[in-house]
Amino acid sequence: MRAPPSTVRASKLVTNAVAVKSETASIAATKSGHELLLFEALREGLEEEMERDPRVCVLGEDVGHYGGSYKVTKGLAEKFGDLRVLDTPIAENSFTGMAVGAAMTGLRPIVEGMNMGFLLLAYNQISNNCGMLHYTSGGQFTIPVVIRGPGGVGRQLGAEHSQRLESYFQSVPGLQMVACSTPYNAKGLMKAAIRSENPVILCEHVLLYNLKERIPDEEYVCCLERAELVRPGKDVTILTYSRMRHHVLQAAKSLINKGYDPEIIDIISLKPFDLHTIGNSIKKTHKVLIVEECMRTGGIGASLRASIMDNFWDYLDAPIMCLSSQDVPTPYAGTLEEATVVQPPQIVKAIKQLCG
Amino acid sequence: MYRKMVTLQVMDTIFYDAQRQGRISFYVTTIGEEAINIGSAAALNATDVVFSQYREPGVLMWRGFTLQQFANQCYGNEYDLGKGRQMPVHYGSNELNYLTVSSPIATQVPQAVGAAYGLKMDKKDACAVTYFGDGGTSEGDFHAGMNFAAVLGAPVLFICRNNGWAISTPTSEQFRSDGVAIKGQAYGVRSIRVDGNDALAVYFAVKNARKMAVEEFRPILIEALTYRVGHHSTSDDSSKYRSVDEIEYWRTRRDPVARLRMFLQSNRWWDDENEDLLRQDLRTQMMSVLHNAESKKKPGLSNLFEDVYDVIPQNLKEQEQETQAIVGKYPKDYPSDVPLD
């Protein structure tokens, strides 16, 4: 089953995520900027990079004249031609392999997985070749690909279409991985990923595509390795990424009313972690809550906890808390599905427990 | 072309023996497939990009990779272009347009299509070439790669070395189709079946295929029939699953090198004396090359951490420091020929 067109997506989007506008998130947004939705921000970043460098191209299913399942590539095929925005047959391992081969011989391809879950089919090429060939060739060949697509739990998309692939990819050496969460960082990370010489996985979230924000008119690029300080505070460090950032912000409203002062960091870079930003925060607050959408076992939270313990053990006043999804396939029933994703009330409760 | 075929044969024999003597850790021979290796390589241009499986070192040899360079990679010494990171026979050379070999079967097939896609966009007078065995045609990547190439009109040559065996699996247990050429037809790819042990036939087939691919923007599939005379690799003893008589028959009576030699000699372009001199000279060269490679240092420890990314990240720097500290503290527990830096 493939995802329905994005017009259906837009009308069904009544998420908690949209309720929290990104007033705290925009760093350089000026009144003279322009407003757009996250998927448009991704497209803007992509278009600017394709204009800037003729070697940049896009490969994926339905990315051409259809404009992509989430409309990220809409209009690009008309502008850049059918070869630069290439519609591929349905074989994820193969078009990812194609991208690896093209990258090694001079192009800068972007692979769009219609849903991150389908990229599991491309795992062989991603793990055995994409992450490895720069190393095994002795540095002779670089693989500047960007692999992107929507992941995360959506609105009743079923278990196979609700995967959190960041868990599986975080272990592959040679890859970099980032997760965007706002139109601002979506555009900036897309541009940075394309310009990077390393293979980068850009994790998007299926429910965040219609998030609206005002972003600068001037050109900007985000840093792939830097976390975003969303809200400074001194009581507790909350580490999160992607859609959970918005759940955390929603919970924060309630927490602030109750007198807590949480420091919220969107980690952005899932591989490698920005331990500098994270560490500075922990040294200030001494308490950590991680809020993620991954499963409990082997997720980003699990690795982050290990990293924090290795590096900042002496600064912790309490065990690191981590809110994750349960180790279950995501059920189709809406009520059950909602129970598998961390919700704002859970976050509030966890902070109360952590901070007293 | 003949000299290179003999060189390949001699190199293989000596490296194989070296592995058996414990001088290198692993090797894969190309015995019996010299005609495909050299015949096809000679028909390509230097700018054609090659994505091989692992039984095609002859292509690299034709392009100018020296015996010393082959040895350096097999020994994984400091002169290895791959910096000691891959197993023997996983050669790669940016300069010679030969992509570093990656072990998983058929992963190079879609990669070649990707490279061809790039060449097509840039309108270059070059094509991509990919090699694989009969076993590789069962992999999903082969089918999708062919399909993509056909749909895209990508200038790529798919050269299948149908040598009858995929480790211990004979082609009768690999597929039930009439060989590999017919698989190409199913995808709308023009295909040809060629006697892989006839160096000249391979040469002309590839030459014509290349012309079609580059001028008409289309993929071509070439099935070269041959026989894998050697074992799959030094970790295999093929007498366990096939008769020694069969191997001997192909090794002696159907040797592609001997076949070309007889053709050359019958036209008086070559003689026994030349042959002896050539083989003698090659053996001497190989001995010195092996000795040379053996005596070189191994790449330093820092090579373990470099090139994972373009710029080494903090976490890897820390891991490198930890590793250096441990190796420095307990040098007797670690190999003595690996420098700490």
Side-chain angles (χ1 to χ4, degrees), chain A residues 83 94 129 134 137 140 175 198, chain B residues 94 100 102 117 144 307 309-310:
Chain A
L83 272 188
S94 296
N129 289 314
H134 179 63
S137 68
Q140 293 184 84
L175 296 182
N198 296 315
Chain B
N94 201 355
T100 304
S102 169
Y117 159 69
D307 294 327
Y309 295 99
D310 56 348

Side-chain angles (χ1 to χ4, degrees), chain A residues 322-343:
Chain A
C322 183
L323 296 176
S324 337
S325 293
Q326 304 86 336
D327 289 317
V328 298
T330 309
Y332 179 79
T335 42
L336 293 178
E337 182 185 72
E338 202 172 306
T340 65
V341 176
V342 177
Q343 302 294 342

Side-chain angles (χ1 to χ4, degrees), chain A residues 76-302:
Chain A
L76 298 181
E78 286 82 9
K79 185 167 175 185
F80 296 104
D82 287 336
L83 272 188
R84 276 185 83 187
V85 186
L86 186 70
D87 273 330
T88 60
I90 309 177
E92 283 76 7
N93 203 34
S94 296
F95 60 71
T96 308
M98 262 183 75
V100 171
M104 288 198 286
T105 49
L107 291 183
R108 302 187 78 88
I110 296 143
V111 174
E112 173 170 313
M114 189 183 283
N115 184 290
M116 272 290 183
F118 308 156
L119 289 182
L120 285 169
L121 285 157
Y123 206 79
N124 186 19
Q125 288 285 355
I126 293 173
S127 176
N128 273 329
N129 289 314
C130 188
M132 269 189 206
L133 277 163
H134 179 63
Y135 184 75
T136 57
S137 68
Q140 293 184 84
F141 299 100
T142 55
I143 309 175
V145 296
V146 176
I147 298 173
R148 49 160 291 267
V153 178
R155 281 264 171 271
Q156 297 191 266
L157 293 178
E160 304 90 343
H161 295 65
S162 310
Q163 295 271 34
R164 277 76 93 193
L165 283 218
E166 54 270 24
S167 309
Y168 308 131
F169 289 132
Q170 62 172 330
S171 225
V172 178
L175 296 182
Q176 259 188 283
M177 192 160 49
V178 292
C180 63
S181 49
T182 63
Y184 180 83
N185 63 36
K187 177 176 173 183
L189 291 171
M190 169 73 94
K191 288 170 73 87
I194 294 172
R195 294 185 194 191
S196 168
E197 290 304 315
N198 296 315
V200 179
I201 303 203
L202 171 54
C203 298
E204 298 157 15
H205 197 287
V206 69
L207 290 181
L208 293 182
Y209 280 129
N210 289 322
L211 206 55
K212 193 188 286 194
E213 189 183 359
R214 181 171 285 276
I215 66 169
D217 290 327
E218 316 84 66
E219 193 182 22
Y220 69 92
V221 180
C222 288
C223 177
L224 289 176
E225 296 91 6
R226 197 176 307 143
E228 199 181 309
L229 177 62
V230 181
R231 180 191 187 277
K234 53 182 184 0
D235 286 348
V236 59
T237 300
I238 306 182
L239 302 173
T240 182
Y241 68 94
S242 192
R243 182 170 169 231
M244 290 299 105
R245 166 201 181 122
H246 303 281
H247 279 204
V248 166
L249 287 172
Q250 182 147 13
K253 286 186 179 163
S254 174
L255 286 168
I256 292 163
N257 281 342
K258 292 182 167 52
Y260 293 95
D261 187 21
E263 177 150 292
I264 302 173
I265 295 179
D266 183 336
I267 62 174
I268 302 282
S269 179
L270 305 181
K271 184 178 170 74
F273 294 130
D274 177 5
L275 290 176
H276 181 78
T277 307
I278 294 171
N280 283 342
S281 178
I282 296 174
K283 288 175 186 172
K284 191 169 45 163
T285 67
H286 310 295
K287 296 186 205 65
V288 183
L289 170 68
I290 301 172
V291 181
E292 60 166 350
E293 212 174 300
C294 282
M295 317 306 198
R296 191 113 189 110
T297 304
I300 297 288

Side-chain angles (χ1 to χ4, degrees), chain B residues 23 40 70 85 212 260 274 329:
Chain B
R23 292 166 83 175
S40 62
F70 280 112
R85 294 169 185 152
M212 269 191 265
L260 186 59
N274 289 348
K329 197 165 173 199

